[in-house]
Amino acid sequence: GARPRFSVELSASQNILSSGSVKVELDQEEIDNNANFDSTTNYRFTPTVPGAYRFSGTISLNNTTDGNTNGAKIYKNGTAERTIIADAGGTSSGETISCFLAANGTTDYFELFTFSSTDSD
């Protein structure tokens, strides 16, 4: 069958506390051609076709401060597989993460997380 594709985003701001990594609750689907993205409960992608998938996500944080450490992570099966870290320079910060990861087509799932060393939204 066709390779599952999806494009999702937040419908509203999400508060990010400086207490560690937080799952981004991507709740607005633009594309989900095979109904593999859960945008209501777990906010994750579970492909039903095995293969390598390209994942890309952009995080925009507000209320950050100079020297603040921000970033994004792509998780596979509950474990961080890729991480991007940057120092903020002002009141907002934007990070983009992109990678290819293999999926078995049955049990693997993927999630987007973010983190900040100060409270943000």
Side-chain angles (χ1 to χ4, degrees):
R3 174 120 359 184
R5 296 182 318 270
F6 71 99
S7 176
V8 292
E9 62 185 18
L10 285 172
S11 62
S13 293
Q14 179 180 344
N15 290 330
I16 307 299
L17 302 178
S18 60
S19 57
S21 296
V22 176
K23 185 190 303 190
V24 181
E25 296 177 357
L26 300 164
D27 61 351
Q28 186 170 329
E29 295 181 7
E30 295 177 337
I31 299 169
D32 188 9
N33 74 324
N34 203 37
N36 292 110
F37 194 89
D38 176 359
S39 61
T40 59
T41 307
N42 293 311
Y43 310 104
R44 66 186 185 195
F45 177 66
T46 306
T48 53
V49 177
Y53 287 82
R54 181 178 182 264
F55 295 94
S56 181
T58 299
I59 304 295
S60 296
L61 299 173
N62 294 318
N63 304 324
T64 62
T65 57
D66 285 337
N68 184 36
T69 302
N70 302 314
K73 297 179 181 184
I74 295 179
Y75 276 55
K76 176 181 178 180
N77 302 329
T79 302
E81 288 289 322
R82 300 291 188 273
T83 302
I84 184 168
I85 300 171
D87 290 328
T91 60
S92 65
S93 173
E95 315 304 331
T96 298
I97 188 167
S98 184
C99 64
F100 282 92
L101 294 171
N104 62 17
T106 55
T107 59
D108 287 337
Y109 63 92
F110 302 87
E111 303 160 299
L112 179 64
F113 279 69
T114 189
F115 58 92
S116 179
S117 59
T118 60
D119 295 350
S120 304
D121 55 78

